[in-house]
Amino acid sequence: MAPALRYLGGACARARGGFSGALAWGWGPAPGAPWPLGRGGRRASTSSFDVVIVGGGIVGLASARALILRHPALSIGVLEKEKDLAVHQTGHNSGVIHSGIYYKPESLKARLCVQGAALIYEYCNQKGISYKQCGKLIVAVEQEEIPRLQALYERGLQNGVQGLRLIQPEDIKKKEPYCRGLMAIDCPYTGIVDYRQVALSFAQDFQEAGGSVLTNFEVKEIEKAKESPSRSKDGVTYPIVIRNTKGEEVRCQYVVTCAGLYSDRISELSGCNPDPRIVPFRGDYLVLKPEKRYLVKGNIYPVPDSRFPFLGVHFTPRMDGSIWLGPNAVLALKREGYRPFDFSARDVMDVIIKSGLIKLVFQNFSYGVNEMYKALFLSATVKHLQKFIPEITVSDIHRGPAGVRAQALDRAGNLVEDFVFDGGVGDMGNRILHVRNAPSPAATSSLAISGMIADEVQQRFNL
């Protein structure tokens, strides 16, 4: 049975703005140059494509890869506003390969996560990308958490998560010698990987199959072609014009946007529905000092509160051997604001005026205040961590990196938790597919999501 997709209406027409689809970090080409081709690649046209993907993060790159492998005769391009690929959500997440235990049974999120985890492991094995299947314990430290833990265990079984078992304190000690708890779910299928490395491998696959990646291409306009250049049929063959902030343009037949933190603005830019709006939440991590890494072997998570999409402060080993503690969840004052005092007046006004944030704040005021308090005072976060590993002290940690999560929010102040796809109407709208909400665990699910997007593109655009 095909998954039901959610669509939001809106007639697409010419629109203007000044941003593009997200995600970049690391090595890359010289400014203005196409991304370097992998071995055996062939360069497609940099001025016209059959399909353009806006956004060079893990979802955009996985989707581009899936499309070109399925339709090798098509010319396909990826546009990325940064000089490098996979920097924002892809390059700033915890690196966990989630098993799919948390999500509502039969939901799109649950199915895609379970499928996606299997596909990520298989892909990493094929490509020689290092990962660690280090497992995860979800630990109840209070008596009142045990019923929620047991319900979560049943949910995981319904979702088909492999190897789950409920364990008692003595088995918790065997898995994590320094962790205390009354009961835990042992989830051995959970792993860790460097998702940016995975995303760059997707990009290499895409280019070796003939795709093109254009970086430093910050989309400013998406419009229908007015007239063809002299002695050219581009206006007929490639009726959509995408123009960047430098006045450069590409033409295409169809557009797929995977714009992450800017998905609402890119949709609005194309004349489509801007709702649900994106509200950026910053997650700050702490890092365990090297001499204390022995305290943590695998992932240790709290029992989640089902009222919120955030999984709580947890212990996460990294591929480089470091241990991250966190993240919290506080409102970011800038969509790419990784530091506490990063600020954008436009981003803040959009959140206040155009989203349902005020209603969300009133509904969850105490939770928000607690998260802000933990963000300001290390001792508050350490106190929470000590519920699981009492030996940790403030002197054992230091502040680490942060990420910004693109959380979709409706006008009523409800967090949009599942995937949202959006298209318009009319000749322009029928040529655009917006991936409006690809929430965590989108990195884990990226290969499964890309297959679904490729199916939808093929059906919607009659490829």
Side-chain angles (χ1 to χ4, degrees), residues 358-385:
I358 301 301
K359 295 178 181 178
L360 178 70
V361 168
F362 279 113
Q363 293 166 8
N364 304 281
F365 184 75
S366 61
Y367 178 86
V369 170
N370 185 51
E371 289 297 298
M372 292 177 65
Y373 182 78
K374 287 192 294 184
L376 291 172
F377 300 102
L378 290 183
S379 59
T381 302
V382 170
K383 185 177 180 180
H384 174 79
L385 295 170

Side-chain angles (χ1 to χ4, degrees), residues 24-31 33 35 80-85 215-216:
W25 175 31
W27 56 271
W35 190 261
E80 168 53 48
K81 75 181 179 71
E82 306 287 0
K83 68 181 179 66
D84 304 312
L85 295 172
T215 55
N216 286 302

Side-chain angles (χ1 to χ4, degrees), residues 330-378:
V330 296
L331 179 67
L333 302 180
K334 185 179 180 182
R335 293 204 181 198
E336 293 166 3
Y338 300 107
R339 295 170 298 185
F341 299 106
D342 285 346
F343 177 82
S344 164
R346 180 187 179 187
D347 291 348
V348 171
M349 292 306 294
D350 274 0
V351 165
I352 294 173
I353 297 172
K354 297 180 180 180
S355 78
L357 178 70
I358 301 301
K359 295 178 181 178
L360 178 70
V361 168
F362 279 113
Q363 293 166 8
N364 304 281
F365 184 75
S366 61
Y367 178 86
V369 170
N370 185 51
E371 289 297 298
M372 292 177 65
Y373 182 78
K374 287 192 294 184
L376 291 172
F377 300 102
L378 290 183

Side-chain angles (χ1 to χ4, degrees), residues 225-239 241 251:
K226 293 183 176 61
E227 60 184 38
S228 302
S230 58
R231 288 183 285 183
S232 170
K233 294 184 179 180
D234 274 3
V236 176
T237 307
Y238 304 105
V241 178
R251 292 179 177 241

Side-chain angles (χ1 to χ4, degrees), residues 89 109 261 278-283 309-310 403-407 439-440:
Q89 291 187 99
K109 207 176 194 181
L261 285 159
I278 293 299
V279 176
F281 283 92
R282 192 183 75 251
F310 312 108
V404 178
R405 173 175 178 159
Q407 177 61 55
S440 177

Side-chain angles (χ1 to χ4, degrees), residues 36-43 204-211:
L37 280 170
R39 294 185 301 275
R42 61 180 175 83
R43 190 182 303 279
Q204 182 172 353
D205 293 345
F206 170 65
Q207 290 179 293
E208 289 181 348

Side-chain angles (χ1 to χ4, degrees), residues 266-278:
I266 287 289
S267 182
E268 189 172 24
L269 185 65
S270 69
C272 295
N273 196 331
D275 294 319
R277 293 286 182 175
I278 293 299

